[in-house]
Amino acid sequence: QVLGSGRFSPAAGVASARAAMFEGLDERLGAAYLLKPRFCPFRCGAEVPGKNYEYHLAEECPNRKALCPEGCGDRMLGSLIEEHRIVCPMGIFLSRAEVAIRESSMREFRLAYDGAFAERERARARMRARGEEDFRRDWWPSRRAGIRVKAIEAECRQLVQRSRRRAVE
């Protein structure tokens, strides 16, 4: 670099060399951090690469506290979720509603459907008691429960339409 006196400045050359050497360092350090294995804080014994760490804590760890995927609002260890699905009251009510629709039993469907809505209110109370975020009135405690209810409602509308057509004929 040329100074006002027309001479070359060696400090400017060193500074530009340093800048080139450290260019992109943040990205390289971030990538190295993502590969660095970390131990699970829930003491499951897993050593997880940094890029999978958050996913492990939220979805995989058997010692995590997880919300029931069926929508009853209970919290349990991740290792107990499959056992809980068998006895989950929300899952039972929704399964009964699905079976009632397949069998065209409106009375049984109504009982199961009302039970699912009552269970949703109990789930809301469980979550409030723990101080967790309350879901809106038209939402369900889990995404899976919401999807199942929407599918059941669509099938119910079709069942009602078929019943009305039969009554007219």
Side-chain angles (χ1 to χ4, degrees):
Q1 180 157 324
V2 180
L3 297 175
S5 62
R7 295 183 2 204
F8 179 76
S9 167
V14 170
S16 65
R18 271 195 192 137
M21 183 173 72
F22 290 114
E23 184 178 332
L25 181 64
D26 290 337
E27 292 85 26
R28 291 192 309 253
L29 286 176
Y33 180 75
L34 290 177
L35 297 175
K36 180 182 176 186
R38 299 168 68 184
F39 284 100
C40 178
F42 299 136
R43 297 186 180 143
C44 71
E47 189 175 3
V48 185
K51 65 181 181 179
N52 299 336
Y53 185 71
E54 294 298 322
Y55 180 78
H56 172 78
L57 296 181
E59 301 292 329
E60 292 178 338
C61 182
N63 293 342
R64 75 187 186 281
K65 284 286 197 171
L67 189 61
C68 171
E70 297 297 323
C72 74
D74 280 345
R75 282 224 175 257
M76 66 208 71
L77 290 177
S79 60
L80 301 176
I81 288 177
E82 291 306 316
E83 293 173 22
H84 172 74
R85 283 188 173 169
I86 297 167
V87 297
C88 177
M90 181 66 79
I92 291 170
F93 282 125
L94 293 177
S95 295
R96 283 178 49 199
E98 291 165 347
V99 168
I101 288 174
R102 279 195 300 272
E103 295 176 355
S104 300
S105 174
M106 284 303 291
R107 182 174 165 203
E108 182 62 30
F109 166 75
R110 198 75 226 156
L111 291 171
Y113 195 66
D114 289 344
F117 273 86
E119 186 58 36
R120 181 179 77 165
E121 293 308 311
R122 286 190 288 275
R124 171 180 269 131
R126 286 184 199 105
M127 293 173 82
R128 257 192 245 126
R130 288 192 304 262
E132 294 177 357
E133 181 180 334
D134 191 16
F135 48 92
R136 291 191 333 228
R137 188 154 190 81
D138 59 336
W139 283 11
W140 289 84
S142 73
R143 186 169 181 257
R144 179 184 171 112
I147 290 170
R148 284 181 76 185
V149 168
K150 286 181 184 177
I152 288 170
E153 288 173 345
E155 290 175 22
C156 180
R157 282 191 292 274
Q158 292 173 356
L159 175 63
V160 168
Q161 289 173 352
R162 285 193 307 265
S163 298
R164 287 181 181 160
R165 276 189 242 129
R166 281 191 219 131
V168 170
E169 293 173 355

